Amino acid sequence: NAGVTQTPKFQVLKTGQSMTLQCAQDMNHEYMSWYRQDPGMGLRLIHYSVGAGITDQGEVPNGYNVSRSTTEDFPLRLLSAAPSQTSVYFCASSYSWPSHSYNEQFFGPGTRLTVL
Amino acid sequence: GQQLNQSPQSMFIQEGEDVSMNCTSSSIFNTWLWYKQDPGEGPVLLIALYKAGELTSNGRLTAQFGITRKDSFLNISASIPSDVGIYFCAGPGTSYGKLTFGQGTILTVHP
């Protein structure tokens, strides 16, 4: 299994540009999520999905869109990039409740985004 | 909202020393998770705790679920250079599947 994969690994954007960060998992996990990591802030949840066709907002959703058309994929879209969105973005997945391990999330390697 | 406070924020130790770090919550958790993040990589789950008072080991790592259910501890024995990284505690957030993370403890090990 490849686990959770993310592309691209690095990206530089200009203010106002749009782009999509890709995330895929091959573990048949129902739950997927996006986090951003900033120095001293830990990991903050952007959006999450409990299954195909179902998404919801996390703590910092503004400026980001998501969709979940398949179990495997969960792309994150930046509609109009801003310098405040410079960060490292992580995708994660896990089994769903009532699995005993539904809180145990597996993380991808991250995408390092710089917005100029 | 829920908050997790980790301490210390950073540690500088000599190879071979033992390490202790802890995490406290403003509310009761029914699960505690400990992750490690290597430089340039995503977090990797080290230990999951599901029961108050539970003590679980993973090699040189030992974690405990506090009796009050508001804290957890991680110990690393006989540290080695590859222990370098950021250690995060995490617990279930306010909604299904959402995790709340601590700010992380940065560990540096000098050979």
Side-chain angles (χ1 to χ4, degrees), chain A residues 31 37 50 96-97 104-105 112, chain B residues 35 37 40 50 88 96-97:
Chain A
Y31 181 86
Q37 184 176 36
V50 298
S96 61
W97 186 88
E104 298 177 17
Q105 294 188 15
R112 283 141 190 85
Chain B
Y35 285 85
Q37 184 177 23
Y50 291 99
F88 291 100
Y96 158 68

Side-chain angles (χ1 to χ4, degrees), chain A residues 9 31 35 37 40-43 45 48 50 57-58 90 95-97 100-110 112, chain B residues 30-31 33 35 37 39-45 48 50 86 88 91-93 95-104:
Chain A
K9 195 162 181 65
Y31 181 86
Y35 294 86
Q37 184 176 36
M41 303 289 289
L43 289 145
L45 184 66
Y48 66 100
V50 298
Q57 297 181 348
F90 290 100
Y95 293 106
S96 61
W97 186 88
H100 177 66
S101 58
Y102 75 90
N103 280 311
E104 298 177 17
Q105 294 188 15
F106 294 82
F107 284 80
R112 283 141 190 85
Chain B
N30 56 26
T31 301
L33 305 166
Y35 285 85
Q37 184 177 23
E41 302 293 330
V44 174
L45 182 64
Y50 291 99
I86 307 176
F88 291 100
S95 299
Y96 158 68
K98 293 170 68 174
L99 287 183
T100 298
F101 283 85
Q103 308 96 315

Side-chain angles (χ1 to χ4, degrees), chain B residues 23-99:
Chain B
C23 193
T24 58
S25 168
S26 57
S27 55
I28 290 174
F29 279 0
N30 56 26
T31 301
W32 281 98
L33 305 166
W34 284 93
Y35 285 85
K36 182 195 177 195
Q37 184 177 23
D38 290 330
E41 302 293 330
V44 174
L45 182 64
L46 297 173
I47 293 177
L49 302 161
Y50 291 99
K51 192 175 177 182
E54 179 181 358
L55 191 70
T56 297
S57 294
N58 178 4
R60 293 177 296 105
L61 278 63
T62 302
Q64 183 162 23
F65 193 142
I67 290 293
T68 67
R69 298 171 64 189
K70 287 187 174 183
D71 55 10
S72 181
F73 307 88
L74 178 69
N75 297 313
I76 305 173
S77 62
S79 59
I80 59 178
S82 62
D83 290 334
V84 164
I86 307 176
Y87 291 80
F88 291 100
C89 61
T94 53
S95 299
Y96 158 68
K98 293 170 68 174
L99 287 183

